[in-house]
Amino acid sequence: MSELDEKTENGSVESAGKGGTEEKKAKDNSGLGLGVIFFLVAFVVVFLSGWLLFPKLLYSEKEQPFNFNHDLHVYEMGSCEACHFLREDGSFSGIPDLYSCTQCHYEEPMGMTEDEKIFCEEYVAKGKEVPWLVYSKQPDNVFFSHAAHTEGAGMECKTCHGSIGQSKELPTYEENRLTGYSRDIWGDNIWGIDKNSRDSMKMDDCAECHEEETGSKGACFQCHK
Amino acid sequence: MSKQNTHGKTYKFGMAIDLDKCTGCGSCMVACMSENNVPFKKDESDKKDSITWMRVYKLTNGKSFPETEICYLPRPCMQCGGKGDQGHSPCVSVCPAVATDYGHDTGIVSQIPVRCFGCRYCMAACPYHARYFNWWDPKWPGEMEKYLNPDVSPRMRGVVEKCSFCYHRYQAARDKAYYEHREEIQEQEYQTACTQACPAGAIAFGDLHNPSHKVHQLVKPDPHHSGKPRNPKAFRLLERLGTNPKVYYISEKEWVRKAGDNYLEGEWKKMNKKHG
């Protein structure tokens, strides 16, 4: 019911008496009020479902083959670089392969944990590589140089990787159903608002830091192949 | 032009191809295809469909038997810098998607296939036909996918691709330099696949700014005239368009040098007199 309608109606019934008009007005207002309430309720329902339900729908949760205790391994090995190191040609070793792990874990488990038992029985004994789900996996055409960041710019591992070195459990791997990449790339925040530079790892995030640090977003081939 | 980070060491990578040494064997084309994951087609003779980042052309002097001469001309992407190397390459200036840009730190023209939406303006703009369109998704028979180079991302249907001067090799060389805390990469650390594959040693590759590099010594580029070669036997393709290519050709034969551009009648003689 528009205001214009109301006015013309009021105009036509004005001569019939004041009481009748007020009654009519009250009736119209209650209809408008219901509309507003209905709109607000619908808005909240849709808004919340988009806010809470959509991320649940967008990401499927996947578990790693078994848990890995970074904290324990950093304690035993001394540093991140003991397992994740730069090779002599400047390339980055990434996640260690089975051979690296078997330098310590051969045949019998060293500890008491269920996870190590799974690792020894399922992978070491069978000579099978562990199919880790990689949180940092980027599209194929992305060229990322660890050497440029750690050696060239002198950055620390935790600037981008956070406190993963102190974690006792691996976080759940949330895979984006549309893109197939980890949620860590877009970031936890569905709006894309980051508290730390490491919260998301999209192209814009790379460009933002590059602009701050080097004064330029860089040419395409700086990060692409 | 967008401002770019040039605070590190900057290069101007270029190539000099000695056409008198080239035998037309096609090794450079093969090496290029396998290095850069270029898909091959059922019918490679269909030149509207086949993709050859590096392509060997056959030139002839057009004379009959006793005087007939043939020359083979390998053609990679010329990595045009435009006037004053400001990056106004023919392809870069027409791309509506910024899928190709000019690297001011290397002088190499990039091509980002995932950003390209296949309008092919760049192909129309390129005077050297160095750009190719993927009419089909690439297919490698059987287990051949395992032979793909992991440092080069394969392209998909509907995008343009071209020679990158094996940029991934530059990235690898730079990584090594970072690891060894060096500012500069060595000449031999970064060489393109075609350069290394040429059995005749006809291709030289290196930094055109660095007088100790072979490519610089061969062409002696003139920095005051957009890198025009000071070696009278060296020339660039379509020099007078002002594209300022980084690929130079060298030949003792005058008809070969003349084939590098389109000259009006008598124009070649007049020009040579002026310079000579």
Side-chain angles (χ1 to χ4, degrees), chain A residues 140-141 145 151 216 220-221 225, chain B residues 5 101 114 150 153 175 181:
Chain A
D140 186 50
N141 69 322
S145 164
E151 305 300 307
S216 146
C220 300
F221 265 178
K225 59 182 189 183
Chain B
N5 168 27
D101 76 349
V114 285
S153 185
D175 263 6
H181 296 278

Side-chain angles (χ1 to χ4, degrees), chain B residues 78-83 87-95 100 102 109 121-128 131 241-245:
Chain B
M78 301 284 140
Q79 317 290 353
C80 308
K83 203 180 166 190
H88 288 280
S89 324
C91 51
V92 171
S93 26
V94 296
C95 181
T100 175
Y102 186 78
V109 176
Y121 282 9
C122 56
M123 289 174 68
C126 177
Y128 305 104
R131 291 174 161 272
L241 278 184
T243 52
N244 191 7

Side-chain angles (χ1 to χ4, degrees), chain A residues 86-91 140-141 143 145 147-148 151-152 203 211 214-216 218-222 224-225, chain B residues 3-5 7 101 103 109-112 114-115 150-151 153-154 164 167 171-172 174-176 178-179 181:
Chain A
L86 285 170
R87 301 194 192 96
E88 267 177 36
D89 65 351
S91 60
D140 186 50
N141 69 322
F143 168 79
S145 164
E151 305 300 307
M203 189 169 103
E211 192 153 38
T214 69
S216 146
C220 300
F221 265 178
Q222 201 168 332
H224 285 288
K225 59 182 189 183
Chain B
K3 67 175 180 170
Q4 276 178 21
N5 168 27
H7 73 285
D101 76 349
V109 176
S110 68
Q111 172 68 22
I112 308 299
V114 285
R115 199 160 175 121
D151 294 333
S153 185
S164 66
Y167 199 85
Q171 288 172 329
R174 213 176 32 166
D175 263 6
K176 189 158 191 275
Y178 275 127
Y179 182 74
H181 296 278

